[in-house]
Amino acid sequence: MVRLLHTADWQIGKLFGQFDRDEAALLADARFKAVERLANLANEQRVDLVLVAGDIFDAQAVADRTIHRLFNAMAGFSGRWVLLPGNHDAALAESVWTRAARLQAIAGNVSLCLTPETLFLTSLGVAILPAPLTQRNTFSDLTEWFASARTPAGMLRIGLAHGSVQGILAEAVDSANPIAAGRAEQAGLDYLALGDWHGTRRVDARCWYSGTPETDRFRANDSGQALLVELNEPRALPTVRAIGTGRHRWRSDSQALQVPSDLEALLQRIAGYAANDVVQLSLSGQTDLAGQRRLRDAIGQAQGRVHSLLADVSALRLEPTSEDIDALQADGYLAEVVAELRAAQEVSDAQTARDALSLLAGILDDRRRGVGAGGAP
């Protein structure tokens, strides 16, 4: 029996530009730590080899230090690693892989599949059939040669590829780097390890996407895992088990505030955000000044507790009540402006007056409470 760990889409060097500098740096660092966990997992599960199905690096132009750090992160597992270039780190004539070779960063237990040639691991009784990308996008199926590849009788045939299985994934990701559905069976493969889709996904009994080991986007796609695969003998169906490897939970949350109970439910959810959460929060609807204050405080506290919280309140309107306006105790010229805007809400240009009144009320309330202009929301 051969036991292997199937992983992909490490995206080492990813920049996470939508976050502030400190948060982005921690998310980038988490990807190295995910590789360290994979090495430990390979030891714990006593696997014979680790297959990495493309996009090990997020870009060709990562720093030399990043290359060294990646291979150092892999050092915890002394068994065989088999790496495949994907679309982000394609095997160009001059690439991150040629640079890694010049840096002498690649350990002896690491096999790079830079050409479509069978890799024979005789001691394991395994033949790896790789389909490396030699450019970012290709419109022909690079796995076609698998069917004609000859391997010795009794040797396990394992395919390794990076791309989109046709007719399986969303149409938007179904164009470049195509892989025919049913390729594993058609090519007599015992297992086909795929990368490109960042979530764990079963294509058929012999073909799986492992997904990225550390979630990296706001999408519910079953990511943050690796696959433990057991192959008992040629042509026997593999046993595949997903194992959680991710540390950060990316979650997208939204709420339209219309009635007081909406705000209460939202505040309860925000209070439940945990230290490893990466949250994208989108708010719409309306709230009064008291609701705005409570919401601002809850978001501020959560931002100090979670890994990252991106709050978009651009679609949330401030609708101060009459009691809110009276409590502002505006006097002099400001009192006259407030009175005019309140009166204007009853005429044809009511929406403009309401928007202006809400903006002014928010500014006055912030000034009264000593809150800076940069506060949220």
Side-chain angles (χ1 to χ4, degrees), residues 327-341:
L328 293 176
Q329 298 178 347
D331 54 14
Y333 174 71
L334 286 177
E336 295 177 6
V337 172
V338 169
E340 290 178 5
L341 290 174

Side-chain angles (χ1 to χ4, degrees), residues 128-150:
I128 305 293
L129 283 60
L133 287 168
T134 56
Q135 59 191 53
R136 186 175 180 91
N137 293 319
T138 167
F139 296 92
S140 59
D141 187 344
L142 300 181
T143 67
E144 285 184 353
W145 74 276
F146 291 177
S148 60
R150 295 185 178 276

